[in-house]
Amino acid sequence: MSATTPKALFERHQSLIEKAVEVIHTREYWSPYSENMKKYAEDKVKSASADFKALCGQHFELETIKPTQKVTGERSPYGFELGISYDQPDLNALTEAMEAALPQWRDVGAQGRVGVCTEILHRLNEMSPLIGQTVMHTSGQGLMMAFQAGAPHAQDRGLEAVAYAWDAMKGIPESARWEKPQGKMDPLVMDKKFHIVPRGIGLVVGCSTFPTWNTYPGLFASLATGNPVIVKPHPGSILPAALTVKVAQEVLKEVGLPACLVSLVPDTQAEPITKELALNPKVKVIDFTGSSAFGNWLEENARQARVFTEKAGVNSIIIDSVSDLKAVTKNLAFTLSLYSGQMCTTTQAIYLPKDGINTPEGKISFDEFAQALATATSKFLSDNDRACMVLGAIQSEATAARIDECRKLGEIVLDSEQREHAHFPEARIHTPLILKVDGKDKATYSEERFGPVSFLIATESTDDSIRLAREVLNEQGAITLGFYSTDADRLNQAEELAMDVKVALSNNLDGGVFVNQSAAFSDFHATGGNPAANASLTDTAFVVNRFVVVQSRRHV
Amino acid sequence: MSATTPKALFERHQSLIEKAVEVIHTREYWSPYSENMKKYAEDKVKSASADFKALCGQHFELETIKPTQKVTGERSPYGFELGISYDQPDLNALTEAMEAALPQWRDVGAQGRVGVCTEILHRLNEMSPLIGQTVMHTSGQGLMMAFQAGAPHAQDRGLEAVAYAWDAMKGIPESARWEKPQGKMDPLVMDKKFHIVPRGIGLVVGCSTFPTWNTYPGLFASLATGNPVIVKPHPGSILPAALTVKVAQEVLKEVGLPACLVSLVPDTQAEPITKELALNPKVKVIDFTGSSAFGNWLEENARQARVFTEKAGVNSIIIDSVSDLKAVTKNLAFTLSLYSGQMCTTTQAIYLPKDGINTPEGKISFDEFAQALATATSKFLSDNDRACMVLGAIQSEATAARIDECRKLGEIVLDSEQREHAHFPEARIHTPLILKVDGKDKATYSEERFGPVSFLIATESTDDSIRLAREVLNEQGAITLGFYSTDADRLNQAEELAMDVKVALSNNLDGGVFVNQSAAFSDFHATGGNPAANASLTDTAFVVNRFVVVQSRRHV
């Protein structure tokens, strides 16, 4: 006898699930998982750092089908080896076991699967303080961001995917009686059943910078719709994914289901196995976050699967005029500093006319704006402790090296500097590099420069800014677009631009909301309509291609 | 001033649309467009044949962007040239004009677009008798089927696509106020807008056998979601599509919208232009019905577009045991005869054990079953007038030639014979060819033989039947699967098989429902989960990838 059942889990979380389904259609503010650390069990908050350290240097135990070798290699961007080893399963044995387990998971039904998924999220939420630590020491995010984005916000996104899946699945009746009148004769009567059938094994390929936030939507969308899921984390950020898989396996086992329905496949930078996994004919759904090169490769080659990709883009801001220069530059300073620009939503290209912009105090020149932004950023980062908390650490050597490479690309408006963390002297911490370039240097600013590098682009006019941004966004795509203007006609132009290039727009952000922030249940993350991502996280299209409906019918 | 507005059209049809949305979720019987010819205006029914003839030998007038050449070449399978010419537009000029018109159609909004689509369907319904004539004399379907499948049933499928589109779009709010509490500070408050933005130009590539039924789902799904649509009919079945486009253009013009939002691009067998159209970078959505070779080519090559294909498959029936041999063979006789097997749902492979099947009267041998089926079919077709009405005419020379080619593939159980139509002596009419083959001859029966050709396959046992069917369905795909058994365990096995191979199942059909019939609003046509089709007509997945959501947000 199992301790509980999937159906009981659904009933336990039913009101939460129903609220989630309501909110995806109103898109008002809602967050079921608190971002306030004080709301969590005090002992767990206190012990989080020690709990994380206790995992370091150990073998991480998971249910693993036919373990072949141990992999290791994570290093905290704060300057130490994690020293954790993980089992890598035999891929053939794993995919065979998962395919064999699929019918059981399918036959649990939509409601039970949604119950199991929500229970997993509930338990992940309870361990948020520890997850925050693991996200911090793999991604390099500052502790507060690692906690918020890595735990509750990621869980929000996970629940959002479950809500979309439930909304789509509950719209398909399990059965129907079909009764067709035949004039004076008896009607034709049939009983029909409608089965939600998953496509096959889902593969979620994680990234190093957001090992949970970018993993949960695909993981929970596939799982809720009946697909067993392989989590293939980035070799640099395995631990948060491993903890997630562990929780999922625990819940599955408690309801009497095979643990392998959610399996971890870790690999190393030296011996990557994503391509082999992605081409496995049993893998029918793939979620990927990472480089355009690899995302495009998946789209081109993994033709047996439905592939959902979030890739690189050139997030942009167009500045026409501002109503409060100080507020705007302060807002941008935070945007450029947060996690050292290692967010898929961070602005890289800022377009403004070379002859300046209007403010309530009169026209200011391009260079005055550049100086104001540099000053705002320096000032914001003047307190080193706060700076380190906001900047976090640079996840990879390659990103750190890129800062240097980019210095020569333009006139330096604000130079990047190294910072020393009070507690982690070895941490890889760098402040933003802001460069000035001419609108004509498209090749320079239209290539994604992942990390704390941004360009102030001197254009002929706001019309020219819009024209250039349109070109770059059409060619490279983006997840975010910002626009600043005090002119209603200009804001209408921005709205048209956003629709034409299919990028989400933020207008005149000058307060406590930042262009690189995306709130689950309200903001659609990526549109799926430009080269930066072929799908949105999360909308209906993100879930409904993960299953098909197989019907049967017979006479009554 | 326009005569009416899209919004007014929505209001006019609102109760119909709401009912349609309700029924796609209950999947009970519903058909808004009557299949009973007596329900249509008597004068239109009477004049339909003359109305069709009046179109023959003429130029068909449509709003055409930059006409370049006239194309012609339709020939009725009942033995005469239609002699109608159509304008072919310049493709560059056309796609430019359509792209330029897109923002107007997008900005009509979801509700208005749904209103326009429903009005188009309403007017198509009123001209159903004429559409029936045009479908008959292009596809070769018998008059009654051409009327029912070509007009009301096709309109049902069109409305079903509109209903799915409306259901998906109304789930996305046009705007939202987002208010995030900030403890003791004022909340963060933002106003958000959510725009439904179409992917681009839709291209619908029609087939010769179902020029409306297989065209309307893609046409209306794309149109309702904001994509201007190019209808590229099969060169042999242009007229029903041309009439459809004409009606769409009339409604668009009446509400003050550019007629080119729905455009016809006819071509000829000698100079096909589908590939050129499909690779046009402005074409972002493609719907295709036809050969696997071309469908797969589209999927492989038209990478800039979302491609929805319905291709070839091997529809199958497995016979384990029957409760009423006569009723079953009568049912199958109709299935094999209807439109001479030229339906994408017609059975080709019938598996049964070589040592026979159980009936209430005891075991009957394979050959006794074969003979019973042959007799039932001959008897059903013994009345020549009824036979010609059910069989219709063979659409293409190639299909007629295939019958001859197939005679040598097995032992003839029932030979195909030519029939003469009372009114159309030149009509290409052939009765079904039924062959007996061994289960080991997989290469023979597992290749689609489009037309009135079916195989009775002698297997070792029902388990062997299931095994062989599973292999063929996995490799070739199918739209329909039938199963006959009096054993509940066997029916459970059939249910498992259907889920595994992702093909819709019909159990023990022995009355007035046939495996090749698919009822809009209740039966999902194709699952999208096997090689016969990468999408279902129609479900949510069929509509939601045709648009993206672009949001904008600003502080209040």
Side-chain angles (χ1 to χ4, degrees):
Chain A
M1 234 348 244
S2 302
T4 183
T5 63
K7 192 172 182 311
L9 294 176
F10 180 84
E11 282 159 8
R12 186 182 301 169
H13 299 296
Q14 190 164 1
S15 64
L16 186 77
I17 294 159
E18 283 167 3
K19 177 68 181 173
V21 169
E22 181 194 320
V23 178
I24 57 174
H25 295 302
T26 67
R27 306 204 79 79
E28 290 170 357
Y29 171 78
W30 187 61
S31 171
Y33 305 116
S34 179
E35 65 181 18
N36 183 350
M37 215 187 280
K38 289 181 188 147
K39 302 275 183 183
Y40 291 81
E42 206 183 329
D43 58 331
K44 289 195 178 170
V45 174
K46 275 194 180 152
S47 70
S49 177
D51 293 344
F52 160 65
K53 279 174 196 146
L55 293 169
C56 292
Q58 308 293 320
H59 184 66
F60 193 98
E61 289 295 342
L62 276 175
E63 297 281 338
T64 305
I65 301 287
K66 202 177 172 188
T68 52
Q69 59 166 324
K70 289 186 166 51
V71 303
T72 186
E74 290 163 293
R75 181 182 167 79
S76 170
Y78 291 90
F80 56 93
E81 305 292 331
L82 269 55
I84 306 174
S85 65
Y86 307 87
D87 288 315
Q88 189 181 80
D90 176 83
L91 297 190
N92 282 333
L94 176 70
T95 50
E96 270 171 36
M98 293 179 81
E99 199 171 68
L102 183 150
Q104 269 181 275
W105 184 233
R106 177 192 72 200
D107 294 346
V108 161
Q111 208 179 54
R113 289 194 303 268
V114 165
V116 168
C117 287
T118 313
E119 177 67 16
I120 295 169
L121 285 162
H122 172 74
R123 295 197 196 176
L124 287 170
N125 182 247
E126 287 184 334
M127 55 196 287
S128 291
L130 172 58
I131 292 194
Q133 286 285 329
T134 68
V135 169
M136 175 180 175
H137 287 295
T138 49
S139 72
Q141 292 173 24
L143 177 59
M144 188 51 67
M145 176 172 169
F147 168 75
Q148 292 188 336
H153 294 176
Q155 294 148 15
D156 281 351
R157 284 287 177 196
L159 185 66
E160 187 182 41
V162 174
Y164 272 103
W166 175 236
D167 192 41
M169 294 189 294
K170 77 180 168 61
I172 299 154
E174 289 181 15
S175 62
R177 176 153 295 189
W178 180 85
E179 196 164 332
K180 181 176 179 177
Q182 297 290 293
K184 287 169 190 158
M185 293 187 296
D186 284 344
L188 292 170
V189 188
M190 304 205 84
D191 272 344
K192 304 189 180 187
K193 286 187 211 167
F194 302 96
H195 305 284
I196 289 169
V197 176
R199 288 203 173 267
I201 295 174
L203 167 67
V204 182
V205 183
C207 63
S208 58
T209 46
F210 287 89
T212 53
W213 200 97
N214 276 81
T215 292
Y216 288 2
L219 166 59
F220 286 100
S222 274
L223 199 59
T225 54
N227 305 275
V229 178
I230 294 171
V231 177
K232 210 305 290 175
H234 189 281
S237 294
I238 302 174
L239 183 55
L243 278 171
T244 303
V245 170
K246 192 181 182 72
V247 170
Q249 291 187 337
E250 281 166 7
V251 176
L252 287 165
K253 284 188 283 183
E254 280 177 31
V255 294
L257 287 163
C260 73
L261 285 168
V262 179
S263 287
L264 187 80
V265 176
D267 64 354
T268 61
Q269 299 267 18
E271 289 181 274
I273 55 168
T274 308
K275 284 190 177 182
E276 185 186 342
L277 265 178
L279 299 181
N280 186 304
K282 295 187 174 70
V283 169
K284 298 292 192 188
V285 180
I286 300 176
D287 291 273
F288 168 78
T289 309
S291 72
S292 293
F294 199 75
N296 293 337
W297 182 90
L298 284 171
E299 291 175 26
E300 289 294 329
N301 292 281
R303 303 307 306 278
Q304 87 290 352
R306 304 280 159 147
V307 179
F308 301 87
T309 57
E310 185 185 318
K311 300 168 288 188
V314 177
N315 299 310
S316 306
I317 288 177
I318 295 167
I319 302 176
D320 170 67
S321 50
V322 297
S323 62
D324 184 338
L325 179 66
K326 206 165 171 180
V328 169
T329 52
K330 201 174 150 191
N331 183 285
L332 294 182
F334 182 81
T335 285
L336 300 181
S337 300
L338 184 63
Y339 189 30
S340 296
Q342 297 171 97
M343 299 175 72
C344 51
T345 48
T346 304
T347 306
Q348 172 176 309
I350 302 171
Y351 299 85
L352 67 158
K354 58 174 55 155
D355 62 355
I357 60 169
N358 284 321
T359 77
E361 294 76 35
K363 194 148 193 170
I364 62 160
S365 72
F366 183 99
D367 288 334
E368 282 168 329
F369 179 86
Q371 194 48 54
L373 177 60
T375 303
T377 307
S378 300
K379 199 170 159 193
F380 177 65
L381 299 173
S382 58
D383 177 317
N384 192 55
D385 285 350
R386 182 171 79 168
C388 289
M389 180 59 102
V390 172
L391 292 167
I394 302 287
Q395 204 282 330
S396 75
E397 287 288 359
T399 300
R402 191 173 301 115
I403 303 171
D404 250 357
E405 294 157 18
C406 287
R407 277 201 174 87
K408 63 179 186 298
L409 294 177
E411 185 185 323
I412 292 177
V413 171
L414 180 69
D415 203 357
S416 173
E417 54 186 45
Q418 220 170 329
R419 292 291 180 89
E420 187 166 317
H421 195 286
H423 307 300
F424 302 103
E426 303 289 309
R428 202 188 285 128
I429 300 179
H430 298 266
T431 65
L433 172 68
I434 306 178
L435 299 162
K436 173 181 172 179
V437 294
D438 192 90
K440 294 183 183 69
D441 302 334
K442 206 175 108 181
T444 303
Y445 59 81
S446 72
E447 180 186 325
E448 193 197 42
R449 316 279 180 178
F450 188 77
V453 179
S454 58
F455 298 92
L456 287 175
I457 303 157
T459 68
E460 301 301 320
S461 61
T462 294
D463 284 337
D464 191 40
S465 296
I466 292 174
R467 185 184 62 78
L468 288 169
R470 180 186 294 272
E471 275 181 30
V472 173
L473 293 170
N474 271 327
E475 289 160 15
Q476 306 293 325
I479 295 182
T480 62
L481 168 65
F483 199 91
Y484 287 90
S485 181
T486 55
D487 180 311
D489 288 343
R490 285 291 187 199
L491 292 175
N492 287 338
Q493 268 185 294
E495 208 85 10
E496 283 289 325
L497 172 65
M499 288 194 276
D500 290 348
V501 298
K502 303 187 178 74
V503 178
L505 173 68
S506 295
N507 284 310
N508 292 328
L509 295 186
D510 58 3
V513 175
F514 307 92
V515 72
N516 41 342
Q517 288 177 329
S518 163
F521 298 102
S522 184
D523 293 320
F524 291 101
H525 179 75
T527 67
N530 71 62
N534 79 353
S536 174
L537 315 176
T538 298
D539 62 7
T540 301
F542 188 68
V543 299
V544 291
N545 278 295
R546 294 171 196 259
F547 66 89
V548 302
V549 179
V550 174
Q551 68 171 68
S552 70
R553 57 182 184 177
R554 61 181 75 179
H555 288 294
V556 174
Chain B
M1 233 350 242
S2 302
T4 182
T5 65
K7 194 171 181 308
L9 293 177
F10 180 85
E11 283 159 8
R12 185 183 302 170
H13 299 295
Q14 190 164 1
S15 63
L16 186 78
I17 294 158
E18 284 168 3
K19 176 70 181 171
V21 168
E22 181 194 320
V23 178
I24 58 174
H25 295 303
T26 67
R27 307 205 78 79
E28 291 170 359
Y29 172 78
W30 187 61
S31 172
Y33 305 116
S34 179
E35 65 181 18
N36 183 349
M37 215 187 281
K38 288 180 187 147
K39 302 275 184 183
Y40 291 80
E42 207 183 327
D43 57 329
K44 287 195 178 171
V45 175
K46 276 194 178 153
S47 70
S49 176
D51 292 345
F52 161 65
K53 281 175 195 145
L55 293 169
C56 292
Q58 307 292 320
H59 184 69
F60 194 98
E61 289 295 342
L62 276 174
E63 296 281 336
T64 306
I65 301 287
K66 201 177 172 189
T68 52
Q69 57 167 326
K70 287 185 168 53
V71 303
T72 186
E74 290 163 292
R75 181 181 167 81
S76 171
Y78 291 89
F80 57 91
E81 305 291 332
L82 269 55
I84 306 173
S85 65
Y86 306 87
D87 287 316
Q88 189 181 80
D90 177 83
L91 297 190
N92 281 334
L94 175 69
T95 50
E96 270 172 36
M98 291 178 84
E99 198 171 69
L102 183 150
Q104 269 182 276
W105 184 233
R106 176 192 74 200
D107 294 346
V108 161
Q111 208 179 56
R113 289 194 303 268
V114 165
V116 168
C117 287
T118 312
E119 176 67 15
I120 295 169
L121 285 162
H122 172 74
R123 294 196 195 177
L124 287 170
N125 180 248
E126 287 184 333
M127 56 196 283
S128 290
L130 171 59
I131 291 192
Q133 286 285 328
T134 68
V135 170
M136 175 180 177
H137 287 295
T138 49
S139 71
Q141 292 173 25
L143 177 58
M144 188 51 66
M145 176 172 171
F147 167 75
Q148 291 188 337
H153 295 176
Q155 293 147 16
D156 281 351
R157 285 287 177 196
L159 185 65
E160 188 181 40
V162 173
Y164 271 103
W166 175 235
D167 192 40
M169 294 189 294
K170 77 182 169 57
I172 299 154
E174 289 181 15
S175 62
R177 176 153 296 188
W178 181 85
E179 196 163 334
K180 181 176 181 178
Q182 297 291 293
K184 288 170 191 160
M185 291 187 297
D186 285 344
L188 292 170
V189 188
M190 303 206 83
D191 273 343
K192 304 190 180 187
K193 287 188 211 168
F194 302 95
H195 304 285
I196 289 168
V197 176
R199 287 205 173 267
I201 295 173
L203 168 66
V204 182
V205 183
C207 63
S208 58
T209 46
F210 287 90
T212 54
W213 200 97
N214 276 78
T215 291
Y216 288 2
L219 166 59
F220 285 99
S222 275
L223 200 59
T225 53
N227 304 275
V229 179
I230 294 172
V231 178
K232 209 306 289 176
H234 189 281
S237 295
I238 302 174
L239 183 56
L243 278 170
T244 303
V245 170
K246 191 181 181 74
V247 169
Q249 292 187 337
E250 280 166 7
V251 175
L252 288 165
K253 283 188 284 184
E254 280 177 32
V255 295
L257 288 163
C260 74
L261 285 168
V262 179
S263 287
L264 187 80
V265 177
D267 64 354
T268 61
Q269 300 267 20
E271 289 182 273
I273 54 168
T274 309
K275 286 192 176 182
E276 184 186 343
L277 264 177
L279 299 181
N280 186 304
K282 295 187 174 71
V283 169
K284 298 291 191 188
V285 180
I286 299 177
D287 291 272
F288 169 77
T289 309
S291 72
S292 293
F294 199 76
N296 292 337
W297 182 89
L298 284 171
E299 291 175 26
E300 288 295 328
N301 292 281
R303 304 307 306 277
Q304 87 291 353
R306 305 280 159 146
V307 178
F308 302 87
T309 57
E310 184 185 317
K311 300 169 286 188
V314 176
N315 299 310
S316 306
I317 287 177
I318 294 167
I319 303 177
D320 170 65
S321 50
V322 299
S323 61
D324 183 338
L325 179 67
K326 206 166 168 177
V328 170
T329 52
K330 202 173 148 189
N331 183 284
L332 293 182
F334 183 81
T335 285
L336 299 182
S337 300
L338 185 62
Y339 189 30
S340 297
Q342 296 170 98
M343 298 175 73
C344 50
T345 49
T346 303
T347 306
Q348 173 177 310
I350 302 173
Y351 299 85
L352 67 160
K354 58 175 54 157
D355 62 355
I357 60 168
N358 285 321
T359 76
E361 294 77 35
K363 194 146 191 172
I364 62 162
S365 72
F366 183 98
D367 287 335
E368 282 168 329
F369 179 86
Q371 193 48 54
L373 178 60
T375 303
T377 308
S378 298
K379 200 169 158 192
F380 177 66
L381 299 173
S382 59
D383 179 317
N384 192 56
D385 283 351
R386 184 171 77 169
C388 288
M389 180 59 103
V390 172
L391 292 166
I394 302 288
Q395 205 280 330
S396 75
E397 287 287 358
T399 300
R402 191 173 300 114
I403 303 171
D404 249 359
E405 293 157 19
C406 288
R407 278 201 174 86
K408 62 178 185 301
L409 293 178
E411 185 186 323
I412 292 177
V413 171
L414 181 69
D415 203 358
S416 172
E417 54 187 43
Q418 220 170 328
R419 293 291 180 90
E420 186 164 318
H421 195 287
H423 307 301
F424 301 104
E426 303 289 310
R428 203 187 284 129
I429 300 178
H430 298 265
T431 65
L433 172 68
I434 306 178
L435 299 163
K436 174 182 171 180
V437 294
D438 192 89
K440 294 183 184 69
D441 302 334
K442 204 175 110 181
T444 302
Y445 59 81
S446 72
E447 180 186 327
E448 192 196 46
R449 316 281 180 174
F450 188 77
V453 180
S454 58
F455 298 92
L456 286 175
I457 302 157
T459 68
E460 300 302 321
S461 62
T462 293
D463 284 338
D464 191 41
S465 295
I466 292 173
R467 185 185 62 78
L468 288 168
R470 182 186 293 272
E471 274 181 31
V472 173
L473 293 170
N474 271 327
E475 290 161 15
Q476 305 294 325
I479 294 181
T480 63
L481 169 65
F483 199 91
Y484 287 91
S485 182
T486 55
D487 181 311
D489 287 345
R490 286 291 187 198
L491 292 176
N492 287 338
Q493 269 186 292
E495 208 85 9
E496 282 291 324
L497 172 66
M499 286 195 277
D500 290 347
V501 298
K502 304 187 178 75
V503 178
L505 173 69
S506 294
N507 284 312
N508 291 328
L509 296 186
D510 59 3
V513 174
F514 306 93
V515 73
N516 41 343
Q517 289 178 329
S518 163
F521 298 103
S522 184
D523 293 321
F524 290 101
H525 180 75
T527 68
N530 71 61
N534 79 354
S536 173
L537 315 177
T538 298
D539 62 7
T540 300
F542 188 69
V543 299
V544 291
N545 277 296
R546 295 171 196 261
F547 66 88
V548 301
V549 179
V550 174
Q551 69 173 66
S552 70
R553 57 183 184 176
R554 61 181 74 177
H555 289 292
V556 174

